[in-house]
Amino acid sequence: MSNGTSGFEEILLEVRDLVVVYDGIRALQGVSFTVLKGEIVTLIGANGAGKTSILRAISGLVPYQGAILFEERDLKRVPAHRIVGLGIAQVPEGRGIFGSLTVLENLRLATWQRADKGELEADYDRVFQIFPRLRERQHQAGGTLSGGEQQMLAVARALMSRGRLMLLDEPSMGLSPRLVQDIFRVIEEINRTGVTILLVEQNANMALRIASRAYVLETGSVMLSGTGRELLGDPRVKEAYLGA
Amino acid sequence: MSEGIVYWLQQVLNALQLGSIYALIALGYTMVYGILTMINFAHGDVFMVGAFFCFLAAVYLGLPFVPTLLLTMLGAALLGVMIERLAYKPLRHAPRVSAIITALGVGIFLENFTLALAPYPKNIPMLLENVTWNLGGVSLSSLQLIIILLSLGLMFLLDFVVHRTPVGMAMRAISWDKTFVPLMGVPVDLIISITFAIGAGLAGAAGTMYGLAYPVIDPYMGIMVGWKAFISAVVGGIGNIRGAMIGAYILGGVEIMVAAFLPSTYRDFVAFTLLLLLLIVRPYGILGSPRIQKV
Ligand SMILES: Nc1ncnc2c1ncn2[C@@H]1O[C@H](COP(=O)(O)OP(=O)(O)OP(=O)(O)O)[C@@H](O)[C@H]1O
Ligand SMILES: [Mg+2]
């Protein structure tokens, strides 16, 4: 373990001894980590390591043991649909676009918990500025978008909820190298506007480059952690995740 | 007008009346299927209970038509929500067949509960003054007109809710894939309850109108009508709201035409054969389509 710091101080999200069990199989066996306000934290790990399970637990989609605290508030008893209202947005694995809803409807749905519906127009404008492609396709059904456009929509949708923490599950999956770069640039941009990021990625190389800190997950446990730079240089990470 | 045309127009009117009632019930089957991929086999019996609510409101409370209709819709809506909460929700993650058996059980319960309270068929009083107009030989009753227009009005309203309101948007999202709907902040259970309430409320409206058109009601009246509405939904493409309406008017039309030209005992046999043939040609129904399998 490393004691590297990233210059952020206030804890936004704290995960303590998280255990997730599916049909008797322990997918997470006591995972602990923190995300500080303003950071980009990345979780890397092989297929089946438990990355998605962590994000599902945070968003309340699966039951868990252990504790998850967001802004010091215990999320255990908060129903899933209230969690986004508290300020945690998720871009789920596989994007989760509602194919029969238009682009605009997908965006609108994500604002369900927002009280300030009067500011929706301004927010549509903001996300369309980030993703001009979506503006052109706002009346198109989500299911007819290309994979890359769906990924943009998934990120845009998460922005619409105006969360302070954004969870992203493999946003680069299935995208061309060019689009991967674009998406990572957007993630950094979003982070600069004050949104804290928890990023799950297979693309360890790029994820570690933009991350302030990172955790390496293996079969349901945290094996390594440190700053993005430290882990990029770590021989174990190089061998297992960077293909060096 | 020639006698032939008059006869046809008369049959078309009758078909519209019957189709409207089937449509109101078919919508409940299709909405619940759309959102839970489950056939609510108790739905025909909710329609029956709706007719009894109408009887209670009209006879025991002595209410006129509009309050009777509204009270019946409300009562049926509450019944629908209760059925979902008590009987279906606990089984949402159980094997499909358990949910089917439960739905059939709820239906049988409703029939026998009603039978226990009302062992003999009941008569729904005339709530509306029934005037019959003669339009060039075609006779149109005010009741017929009200049934057709009211049904169409309710269907337009539903179509608006589903396609133009946030609740409708949430319904469509859940029907696409409900896994990630909570991430949008949408309370899935509430939307499911609303779906059951709307579907059952429409069945209640159908119960009222059916009771006015065919005033003798009994606890088993929901079985055959329920099956026909269910088949309408399947013919239209189950899960598809506009499909359910189209399917219902087709079934209403076929039934009336068969009854008009063939011995009345042929009606269901011919109607169902035609519908089976239609399903062989279009297995997913008229507006239905095979959903692209998502991983
Ligand atoms: N719904 C489920 N039922 C049973 N087992 C599950 C379920 N979801 C995940 N698992 C198991 O839990 C483990 C962790 O899965 P998870 O999806 O969290 O991994 P991951 O790190 O996100 O993998 P990937 O990189 O492939 O997305 C895996 O072994 C997986 O098979
Ligand atoms: Mg995953």
Side-chain angles (χ1 to χ4, degrees):
Chain A
M1 295 276 177
S2 145
N3 58 359
T5 58
S6 53
F8 300 93
E9 278 158 13
E10 197 181 324
I11 293 178
L12 185 69
L13 179 80
E14 184 174 1
V15 173
R16 267 192 234 141
D17 301 320
L18 184 64
V19 173
V20 169
V21 180
Y22 301 106
D23 307 320
I25 300 163
R26 283 160 79 93
L28 295 178
Q29 356 221 10
V31 170
S32 300
F33 67 93
T34 52
V35 177
L36 305 179
K37 200 171 172 201
E39 280 191 304
I40 296 181
V41 170
T42 183
L43 297 173
I44 57 177
N47 292 116
K51 307 176 297 294
T52 299
S53 302
I54 292 176
L55 299 194
R56 277 192 204 139
I58 297 172
S59 288
L61 297 179
V62 290
Y64 57 87
Q65 295 146 42
I68 300 175
L69 290 95
F70 178 67
E71 294 174 339
E72 296 178 353
R73 180 184 179 143
D74 188 352
L75 298 185
K76 194 53 144 302
R77 311 231 167 278
V78 182
H81 70 271
R82 294 253 178 245
I83 286 180
V84 59
L86 294 180
I88 304 179
Q90 183 177 158
V91 179
E93 185 172 50
R95 299 154 193 150
I97 296 305
F98 302 109
S100 55
L101 271 57
T102 66
V103 167
L104 213 49
E105 287 175 331
N106 269 281
L107 296 175
R108 174 71 174 73
L109 198 65
T111 65
W112 192 279
Q113 295 283 343
R114 275 179 52 178
D116 51 353
K117 296 274 186 340
E119 295 170 31
L120 290 189
E121 290 304 321
D123 281 8
Y124 291 137
D125 232 50
R126 188 168 72 106
V127 302
F128 288 151
Q129 242 150 43
I130 302 173
F131 301 110
R133 271 262 218 135
L134 295 182
R135 188 195 297 277
E136 296 160 26
R137 295 167 197 278
Q138 53 183 298
H139 298 297
Q140 196 171 319
T144 63
L145 298 179
S146 76
E149 289 160 354
Q150 288 193 3
Q151 190 63 65
M152 295 175 200
L153 178 55
V155 175
R157 203 171 56 177
L159 280 173
M160 287 304 292
S161 70
R162 282 203 178 169
R164 293 180 294 288
L165 173 64
M166 190 185 286
L167 316 174
L168 295 116
D169 199 343
E170 302 200 30
S172 73
M173 201 206 305
L175 303 189
S176 69
R178 175 74 202 283
L179 262 177
V180 173
Q181 291 217 327
D182 287 350
I183 285 283
F184 273 85
R185 196 163 49 232
V186 167
I187 293 170
E188 287 191 279
E189 231 171 81
I190 292 170
N191 177 245
R192 273 197 293 276
T193 67
V195 178
T196 305
I197 305 279
L198 178 58
L199 171 67
V200 162
E201 259 301 334
Q202 294 282 347
N203 193 332
N205 192 3
M206 294 209 51
L208 290 174
R209 265 172 224 283
I210 68 165
S212 28
R213 288 185 310 116
Y215 294 84
V216 178
L217 215 64
E218 266 170 37
T219 53
S221 308
V222 173
M223 298 306 289
L224 272 177
S225 65
T227 63
R229 191 186 300 262
E230 281 169 352
L231 291 187
L232 269 174
D234 190 293
R236 288 164 293 183
V237 174
K238 274 190 182 164
E239 196 198 313
Y241 303 105
L242 301 175
Chain B
M1 277 191 277
S2 87
E3 231 169 80
I5 292 180
V6 167
Y7 186 71
W8 271 96
L9 282 177
Q10 192 67 61
Q11 300 311 322
V12 166
L13 262 181
N14 295 342
L16 279 177
Q17 173 180 332
L18 189 61
S20 294
I21 288 170
Y22 288 158
L24 288 179
I25 307 171
L27 286 167
Y29 282 105
T30 221
M31 288 175 73
V32 166
Y33 184 86
I35 209 157
L36 290 179
T37 43
M38 170 203 162
I39 307 292
N40 176 12
F41 280 114
H43 190 60
D45 296 301
V46 172
F47 154 77
M48 174 275 293
V49 174
F52 275 85
F53 282 162
C54 167
F55 169 76
L56 292 176
V59 173
Y60 289 98
L61 302 180
L63 295 175
F65 175 67
V66 172
T68 296
L69 175 70
L70 294 178
L71 207 62
T72 301
M73 289 178 73
L74 187 69
L78 287 177
L79 178 66
V81 172
M82 258 172 56
I83 291 173
E84 194 275 328
R85 282 285 149 125
L86 297 179
Y88 301 160
K89 194 171 168 217
L91 294 173
R92 218 177 273 164
H93 303 285
R96 186 69 39 102
V97 67
S98 311
I100 294 177
I101 297 299
T102 306
L104 290 170
V106 170
I108 292 170
F109 169 83
L110 291 177
E111 287 157 24
N112 288 285
F113 186 78
T114 311
L115 185 69
L117 296 182
Y120 304 105
K122 301 286 180 198
N123 267 293
I124 292 195
M126 286 274 281
L127 287 175
L128 293 165
E129 200 187 337
N130 202 1
V131 201
T132 303
W133 297 289
N134 188 324
L135 308 169
V138 183
S139 75
L140 169 68
S141 74
S142 54
L143 182 62
Q144 211 163 24
L145 191 66
I146 284 175
I147 290 177
I148 294 169
L149 292 184
L150 202 58
S151 304
L152 286 175
L154 286 170
M155 287 184 247
F156 276 112
L157 195 64
L158 176 71
D159 204 74
F160 178 84
V161 167
V162 170
H163 290 103
R164 297 270 175 271
T165 67
V167 167
M169 219 183 272
M171 287 175 177
R172 286 181 288 134
I174 293 174
S175 121
W176 180 263
D177 183 353
K178 68 171 180 290
T179 324
F180 298 126
V181 173
L183 294 182
M184 307 295 111
V186 175
V188 173
D189 287 344
L190 177 68
I191 303 295
I192 290 175
S193 289
I194 294 176
T195 307
F196 270 84
I198 295 178
L202 292 175
T208 305
M209 293 187 223
Y210 192 89
L212 293 180
Y214 314 94
V216 182
I217 61 171
D218 72 78
Y220 300 113
M221 64 185 272
I223 300 175
M224 204 58 195
V225 175
W227 276 115
K228 288 180 177 170
F230 168 56
I231 287 165
S232 303
V234 173
V235 163
I238 188 111
N240 186 303
I241 284 182
R242 290 175 190 170
M245 303 179 199
I246 295 174
Y249 284 109
I250 290 179
L251 182 56
V254 170
E255 273 194 16
I256 295 288
M257 294 308 161
V258 173
F261 297 106
L262 294 170
S264 67
T265 46
Y266 282 36
R267 188 189 64 190
D268 290 348
F269 158 65
V270 175
F272 282 64
T273 306
L274 281 177
L275 296 172
L276 287 176
L277 289 177
L278 195 145
L279 282 181
I280 290 171
V281 182
R282 287 197 62 91
Y284 296 94
I286 294 167
L287 293 188
S289 57
R291 260 285 288 286
I292 305 140
Q293 197 60 45
K294 287 177 294 136
V295 186

